[in-house]
Amino acid sequence: MAEGPDESQKTEEPTQKRLDDARKKGDVAKSQEIPGWFVLAGGLALMSFLLPPMVRQMATNLSVFLAQPQEFSLEPSAMTQMAQDLFWQTALAVSLPISTLAVAGFAGHYVQTGFIFSADKIQPKISKLNPISGFKRIFGPEGIVNFFKGLGKMALISLAAFVVLFPKRDQLAILPATDISTALALVRQAGVELLVAALVVYAVIAALDYAFQRQTFMKRNRMSRQEIKDEVKQSDGDPLIKAKLRQVRHERAQRRMMAKVPEATVIVTNPTHYAVALYYVQGETPAPICVAKGMNETALRIRELGKEHSVPIVEDPPLARALHASAELDEEIPLDHFQAVAKLIGYVLSLSRGSARYQPTGTS
């Protein structure tokens, strides 16, 4: 069995097809730190804008238990109804924060890869149960990189927390002796500042990690020169086969063109380098039609076929070159050449009526 190319041979950047194939398998450049940053941003938005009204609403719902405890009925049905009401009020209050954080996490994945679904990622693989493979993943190069990356992330976030909270150490120390509203306001302010600092630090971490993951992804999908050549053959077809197909198509077109030469009204020649066969029947075709044209060997074959089938052959080098350059096969000749060709057709038609002399184009 032939082995794949050695890693040292994979020196070329991956082609777009290789990247597309990797995406279909769920292999994309993606950093897990970017969704984490989005979740932090969602938490900051919640704490800044949604947390105060949510806390007030929950306090209002729960204050009735302290303000009017004597009005609660201890009947089982009443207690059940009260528990149900409290459950739905709490669920409604916490559903918005949970939804916000879930959407933020999804957005963090979507901005990197867009929508992607791959069955390969959810298929069970026996190799994942191999303890040796698991040991290599944990203690291999990737595991070591992830370990030190985690340590660096914790150190930077801890430093950011220290920078934010250290100046507030005196205020935080007297929180137990502060009234509840002041304490909550102070805690909320400190939490917002802490999240802002964490976001700044996490943005740097996420950017660096994405660059690392992108580089790893591109390196993982590098190709050898032979792989690129094989891909080109698979995508565009073997160049030898394509050349053969072009040759076959050309030969078929030549045969179709040559089959119309015997029907031509006249053949205009260079006399040796160019030949153009024209078809014209008065009352049938509004203008002469180019049915065949060619140079050198093709021109020779057109002249030979014309002689075999008694097609008039007229030498007019300027007109032959002009028609070869501008006339399209199976189409009427260009309007610029109508006058010269009309003169030529008139000469051919006069041959059947008696002697005639043709004066080539451009001669006096």
Side-chain angles (χ1 to χ4, degrees):
M1 181 181 294
E3 297 182 356
D6 187 78
E7 290 298 324
S8 61
Q9 297 177 341
K10 296 184 176 182
T11 57
E12 307 301 315
E13 292 299 316
T15 62
Q16 187 59 46
K17 183 179 183 303
R18 170 63 68 89
L19 297 179
D20 292 340
D21 290 343
R23 179 181 177 84
K24 291 177 182 178
K25 297 177 182 179
D27 185 14
V28 291
K30 182 173 65 174
S31 169
Q32 296 298 334
E33 307 302 336
I34 293 180
W37 185 91
F38 272 79
V39 171
L40 272 180
L44 177 61
L46 287 172
M47 185 170 290
S48 301
F49 305 107
L50 298 180
L51 186 60
M54 287 171 49
V55 171
R56 286 194 296 268
Q57 183 62 40
M58 293 188 65
T60 300
N61 296 336
L62 296 176
S63 63
V64 65
F65 292 98
L66 300 176
Q68 300 171 335
Q70 70 281 357
E71 295 186 5
F72 291 111
S73 174
L74 298 180
E75 293 293 328
S77 59
M79 294 293 292
T80 301
Q81 184 62 41
M82 181 177 63
Q84 290 178 352
D85 293 342
L86 183 61
F87 171 79
W88 287 114
Q89 290 173 358
T90 304
L92 184 63
V94 301
S95 62
L96 184 58
I98 293 175
S99 301
T100 301
L101 296 179
V103 170
F106 175 79
H109 289 283
Y110 186 81
V111 296
Q112 298 182 83
T113 63
F115 180 76
I116 182 173
F117 174 78
S118 174
D120 291 348
K121 288 294 185 180
I122 60 176
Q123 288 180 353
K125 295 181 180 179
I126 302 300
S127 59
K128 292 184 178 181
L129 302 178
N130 189 342
I132 298 178
S133 300
F135 183 85
K136 290 180 178 179
R137 283 196 301 270
I138 296 174
F139 298 99
E142 186 176 354
I144 295 174
V145 169
N146 289 331
F147 174 74
F148 284 104
K149 184 174 67 176
L151 287 181
K153 181 168 60 176
M154 291 177 58
L156 289 174
I157 294 178
S158 299
L159 178 61
F162 176 80
V163 171
V164 171
L165 297 179
F166 185 76
K168 300 179 181 297
R169 61 187 183 280
D170 296 333
Q171 294 175 304
L172 296 175
I174 61 173
L175 277 181
T178 309
D179 62 274
I180 187 64
S181 59
T182 304
L184 288 176
L186 181 60
V187 169
R188 175 176 170 272
Q189 180 184 1
V192 169
E193 293 178 3
L194 185 60
L195 282 177
V196 170
L199 274 177
V200 174
V201 173
Y202 221 88
V204 177
I205 295 173
L208 293 175
D209 185 63
Y210 180 80
F212 172 75
Q213 297 297 338
R214 177 72 180 177
Q215 181 183 14
T216 303
F217 169 76
M218 297 299 286
K219 183 178 179 180
R220 184 168 62 247
N221 287 280
R222 280 181 183 170
M223 306 171 67
S224 65
R225 293 184 179 179
Q226 185 60 43
E227 285 178 321
I228 293 179
K229 292 180 181 178
D230 293 341
E231 184 180 288
V232 171
K233 288 183 180 180
Q234 293 174 0
S235 300
D236 300 334
D238 192 322
L240 296 177
I241 297 177
K242 290 178 66 178
K244 183 64 177 178
L245 290 175
R246 283 196 300 268
Q247 181 182 355
V248 170
R249 286 194 293 265
H250 177 71
E251 290 175 353
R252 288 178 178 176
Q254 288 287 306
R255 285 196 295 269
R256 288 194 299 268
M257 183 181 73
M258 291 300 177
K260 298 178 182 179
V261 172
E263 303 173 1
T265 304
V266 63
I267 298 174
V268 190
T269 64
N270 191 30
T272 57
H273 292 83
Y274 293 89
V276 179
L278 302 176
Y279 176 79
Y280 176 76
V281 176
Q282 191 171 10
E284 178 183 334
T285 54
I289 298 173
C290 175
V291 294
K293 66 177 183 177
M295 297 174 57
N296 302 325
E297 293 183 5
T298 304
L300 177 60
R301 290 173 58 197
I302 292 174
R303 290 196 301 272
E304 289 176 349
L305 274 174
K307 291 178 181 179
E308 291 176 9
H309 294 84
S310 302
V311 178
I313 300 175
V314 179
E315 294 184 8
D316 190 335
L319 183 58
R321 288 194 298 268
L323 288 175
H324 185 276
S326 59
E328 298 293 337
L329 286 175
D330 298 324
E331 294 185 7
E332 296 178 357
I333 63 171
L335 184 62
D336 295 344
H337 305 301
F338 269 26
Q339 184 175 358
V341 173
K343 176 184 174 183
L344 176 65
I345 296 293
Y347 164 73
V348 172
L349 295 177
S350 68
L351 290 176
S352 60
R353 297 193 295 268
S355 60
R357 181 176 180 274
Y358 177 72
Q359 191 174 30
T361 303
T363 62
S364 56

